[in-house]
Amino acid sequence: GAGVSQSPSNKVTEKGKDVELRCDPISGHTALYWYRQSLGQGLEFLIYFQGNSAPDKSGLPSDRFSAERTGGSVSTLTIQRTQQEDSAVYLCASRAPGTSYEQYFGPGTRLTVT
Amino acid sequence: AQSVAQPEDQVNVAEGNPLTVKCTYSVSGNPYLFWYVQYPNRGLQFLLKYITGDNLVKGSYGFEAEFNKSQTSFHLKKPSALVSDSALYFCAVRDTGFQKLVFGTGTRLLVSP
């Protein structure tokens, strides 16, 4: 079946502008994650949604970052007043319910803040 | 806190030779360990996982990993490398508190013809 999809694949924005990144998880996957991959660094956890529970926002780097998940499916990561250090690849992943544990990743959105 | 370490930034191997990509872990409780691969301009692809059971775990594309509790290691292996295996490999451990994955810094594998 279809995998995790993300849009846009690339986004170039000016410093100070707001951006929205979208993630469509695999159908039936109840858990959804956002990670950030900066150049030369590993993956950094941002936020986690599980069903109707309150999200785990412990990884969000500042209050400029927020995310929502509507109807338990599509998620949007919003970055307000973007800064150059926000430039990175933003990866979304989803996980099936139960004890499978592994996460399935989308292709990512490459964000460049000029 | 759960963590994994990948001591090598890059591993070079000739095609046809066996390859090993190293990973060590530090966890409280039982570790849930994963390997992912990232090809250029692509997202991460799941390779294999260790939850419980046999210490030798087999995964996609002919890869396997050996869980060693005494050495707290989970090295990724393949008996015969292919040029197409060249990619960035990430080891990860599940954070038992919040379900997220904690990733290592990644190891770039270069397989030469």
Side-chain angles (χ1 to χ4, degrees), chain A residues 73-97:
Chain A
S73 180
V74 172
S75 177
T76 302
L77 177 69
T78 301
I79 308 173
Q80 295 178 312
R81 305 180 302 282
T82 52
Q83 304 294 313
Q84 287 187 331
E85 59 263 29
D86 298 335
S87 297
V89 177
Y90 289 82
L91 293 166
C92 176
S94 69
R95 177 173 60 82

Side-chain angles (χ1 to χ4, degrees), chain B residues 33-85:
Chain B
L33 297 159
F34 304 82
W35 275 102
Y36 284 82
V37 60
Q38 187 178 34
Y39 297 102
N41 301 314
R42 303 280 295 277
L44 276 72
Q45 295 182 32
F46 169 74
L47 277 179
L48 51 80
K49 66 182 178 185
Y50 173 83
I51 304 298
T52 186
D54 290 341
N55 290 340
L56 186 64
V57 179
K58 294 190 181 297
S60 306
Y61 312 122
F63 284 92
E64 57 190 27
E66 185 171 11
F67 173 71
N68 187 316
K69 188 172 182 178
S70 63
Q71 297 186 2
T72 63
S73 67
F74 188 57
H75 300 333
L76 182 70
K77 300 182 179 184
K78 187 174 184 182
S80 179
L82 300 172
V83 172
S84 58
D85 292 330

Side-chain angles (χ1 to χ4, degrees), chain A residues 14-85:
Chain A
E14 293 180 353
K15 178 181 173 181
K17 301 285 188 182
D18 297 352
V19 295
E20 285 190 352
L21 312 180
R22 177 188 168 104
C23 172
D24 274 282
I26 294 172
S27 178
H29 282 197
T30 54
L32 186 148
Y33 305 77
W34 284 98
Y35 294 87
R36 178 168 71 174
Q37 185 177 22
S38 301
L39 186 62
Q41 299 185 26
L43 280 82
E44 173 190 9
F45 166 77
L46 297 177
I47 189 168
Y48 159 57
F49 295 90
Q50 173 61 64
N52 295 321
S53 303
D56 171 15
K57 304 179 182 180
S58 60
L60 295 179
S62 77
D63 59 7
R64 296 186 295 104
F65 287 72
S66 63
E68 62 177 19
R69 189 178 184 192
T70 53
S73 180
V74 172
S75 177
T76 302
L77 177 69
T78 301
I79 308 173
Q80 295 178 312
R81 305 180 302 282
T82 52
Q83 304 294 313
Q84 287 187 331
E85 59 263 29

